[in-house]
Amino acid sequence: AQTVTQSQPEMSVQEAETVTLSCTYDTSESNYYLFWYKQPPSRQMILVIRQEAYKQQNATENRFSVNFQKAAKSFSLKISDSQLGDTAMYFCAFMQGTYKYIFGTGTRLKVLA
Amino acid sequence: DAGVIQSPRHEVTEMGQEVTLRCKPISGHDYLFWYRQTMMRGLELLIYFNNNVPIDDSGMPEDRFSAKMPNASFSTLKIQPSEPRDSAVYFCASRTGGHTEAFFGQGTRLTVV
């Protein structure tokens, strides 16, 4: 069965600094998708970035980028120039085919002024 | 489109009462998911539908939980009878088969006292 592990329950970073959130997963499949979702205090789940496993190039979305290491089954999220609005829970998620998302337990990120 | 719409946003009920949570997916989306979020277990998939048909309900905790999707624009999750351990945030999400991003509603916070 696929599993997603986020080993950092909480992290903090100073405004304008860079922070990296870790995620590892386990699967025997070769084709799948990985995601980072953000959940601010409003509760809304917002897609931050996605990565297709068959693409070697790491995905980037403005200040957000990933380090995808397929062999190591690692999928970390880097947030550059952190902003106060980045304060949220961040969930790593895995999806294979058209099936369900499997989420990690989340990392609570606090950006300090 | 207004996004995925869930109602109510908050629900407080007494143990033993029936609770019905509602979801309107984004128009044109053919997959609908119900998730439950708790501190202890994170985000768990309860059930998902494809073209209004339940595909996988293995995450439904017990027979007290039931979900229906009578048409493409409406789904319900019902708990009868409710128990305090059902207290959680329940999310509905939808997406199209041709895309990987799932769009989430704002969730219903259920409190059973």
Side-chain angles (χ1 to χ4, degrees):
Chain A
Q2 294 91 356
T3 59
V4 178
T5 302
Q6 293 180 251
S7 58
Q8 305 153 311
E10 292 187 359
M11 295 189 72
S12 62
V13 62
Q14 291 290 330
E15 197 175 7
E17 297 295 308
T18 296
V19 64
T20 298
L21 280 56
S22 301
C23 173
T24 58
Y25 58 95
D26 187 25
T27 182
S28 59
E29 301 299 324
S30 60
N31 193 25
Y32 48 86
Y33 299 86
L34 295 162
F35 309 83
W36 280 97
Y37 272 85
K38 169 184 177 181
Q39 186 180 41
S42 67
R43 251 186 8 224
Q44 182 73 52
M45 294 285 284
I46 303 164
L47 179 66
V48 174
I49 198 165
R50 94 191 84 196
Q51 175 78 43
E52 295 155 3
Y54 63 86
K55 289 187 176 179
Q56 296 209 351
Q57 186 173 6
N58 288 325
T60 62
E61 288 287 342
N62 301 313
R63 299 182 294 107
F64 299 88
S65 62
V66 299
N67 183 6
F68 174 47
Q69 301 289 329
K70 191 172 184 179
K73 296 180 182 175
S74 170
F75 183 61
S76 60
L77 174 69
K78 185 171 82 171
I79 306 174
S80 304
D81 185 26
S82 297
Q83 301 176 359
L84 295 177
D86 296 333
T87 293
M89 283 286 287
Y90 287 81
F91 292 94
C92 179
F94 169 100
M95 187 187 78
Q96 177 200 334
T98 58
Y99 199 51
K100 61 189 178 184
Y101 281 53
I102 299 170
F103 287 88
T105 51
T107 297
R108 185 177 302 279
L109 176 67
K110 187 169 185 179
V111 180
L112 307 171
Chain B
D1 201 316
V4 177
I5 299 173
Q6 291 187 246
S7 63
R9 188 151 164 77
H10 304 276
E11 176 79 35
V12 179
T13 191
E14 291 185 348
M15 182 174 63
Q17 296 297 307
E18 177 180 294
V19 176
T20 299
L21 311 181
R22 297 172 176 78
C23 175
K24 179 179 173 17
I26 293 173
S27 177
H29 283 193
D30 50 0
Y31 283 84
L32 184 139
F33 305 84
W34 282 100
Y35 280 89
R36 178 172 67 175
Q37 185 179 28
T38 61
M39 289 292 291
M40 292 295 293
R41 301 172 70 92
L43 276 154
E44 304 172 277
L45 177 69
L46 300 177
I47 185 171
Y48 84 95
F49 296 83
N50 179 216
N51 292 322
N52 313 338
V53 176
I55 303 300
D56 183 354
D57 65 354
S58 60
M60 297 286 262
E62 47 198 277
D63 291 345
R64 298 184 297 106
F65 286 70
S66 62
K68 293 182 180 179
M69 192 165 185
N71 56 62
S73 59
F74 184 64
S75 178
T76 59
L77 178 67
K78 185 178 293 187
I79 308 172
Q80 166 63 19
S82 58
E83 297 182 3
R85 59 193 168 116
D86 301 331
S87 297
V89 178
Y90 291 81
F91 284 100
C92 176
S94 71
R95 70 175 182 90
T96 65
H99 295 84
T100 59
E101 179 179 358
F103 293 82
F104 284 75
Q106 288 200 292
T108 295
R109 180 176 295 281
L110 173 65
T111 303
V112 183
V113 298

